Amino acid sequence: MSAVMPDAPAPAPANSSVPVPVPVPPHFQTFLAFDFGLKRTGVASGNRLLQSATPQATIKAEGDARFAQVEARIKEWQPDALVIGVPYHPDGAPHENTRRAQKFARQLRGRFNLQVFEVDERYSTTEALSSGARDADAASACIILEQFLRSLP
């Protein structure tokens, strides 16, 4: 997977009173990752500089209540982009949860106007459980985010 960050916006004219967003250098970019589930969504935060992720409290909500909590996390962390784990069968075939995670990714793009990267998350929960994680959902989100960060140029 190749992740390319968008070009910086053009600067506003010097006499404009509109604040000009300062582009974040690629090596300082931060991300929020989600391990989507119907009842629980694991969350992790991380950045390119350290190429590591930190588990955050799992979101235990469904539907619009989930998006309210996602919005709170985005306001708190102000990530440059989001990362979503998308599950597949071991042979790579999609299944119902694949489509649900992809729909969640589309909803995040539409609601929060942030770039969203999808990552194949096969075995992330198994890996999290085998490592003895207390919160397998948050640990899975960390695994997903670290996998994504390692894939960046």
Side-chain angles (χ1 to χ4, degrees), residues 81-146:
L82 307 175
V83 177
I84 308 301
V86 179
Y88 293 92
H89 284 295
D91 66 358
H95 51 77
E96 190 57 34
N97 283 340
T98 307
R99 289 180 278 284
R100 288 179 180 134
Q102 290 169 329
K103 179 181 178 184
F104 180 62
R106 287 190 306 273
Q107 290 172 317
L108 291 175
R109 277 185 201 100
R111 286 177 183 241
F112 303 110
N113 198 29
L114 287 169
Q115 190 168 19
V116 178
F117 295 95
E118 295 179 8
V119 173
D120 181 344
E121 64 129 328
R122 276 180 276 185
Y123 305 114
S124 64
T125 301
T126 303
E127 186 179 336
L129 291 169
S130 70
S131 71
R134 295 173 116 189
D135 181 344
D137 299 303
S140 291
C142 283
I143 291 165
I144 291 162
L145 183 52
E146 288 176 352

Side-chain angles (χ1 to χ4, degrees), residues 29 33 35 67 83 86 147:
Q29 290 169 329
D35 179 29
F67 287 108
V83 177
V86 179
Q147 177 183 333

Side-chain angles (χ1 to χ4, degrees), residues 42-100:
V43 183
S45 60
N47 64 63
R48 284 181 84 154
L49 184 64
L50 299 176
Q51 290 193 338
S52 65
T54 304
Q56 303 301 320
T58 291
I59 294 172
K60 297 172 183 147
E62 301 175 42
D64 285 341
R66 175 188 299 120
F67 287 108
Q69 290 189 40
V70 167
E71 182 176 11
R73 304 293 174 86
I74 290 172
K75 284 181 179 177
E76 176 183 0
W77 290 97
Q78 299 182 16
D80 297 297
L82 307 175
V83 177
I84 308 301
V86 179
Y88 293 92
H89 284 295
D91 66 358
H95 51 77
E96 190 57 34
N97 283 340
T98 307
R99 289 180 278 284
R100 288 179 180 134

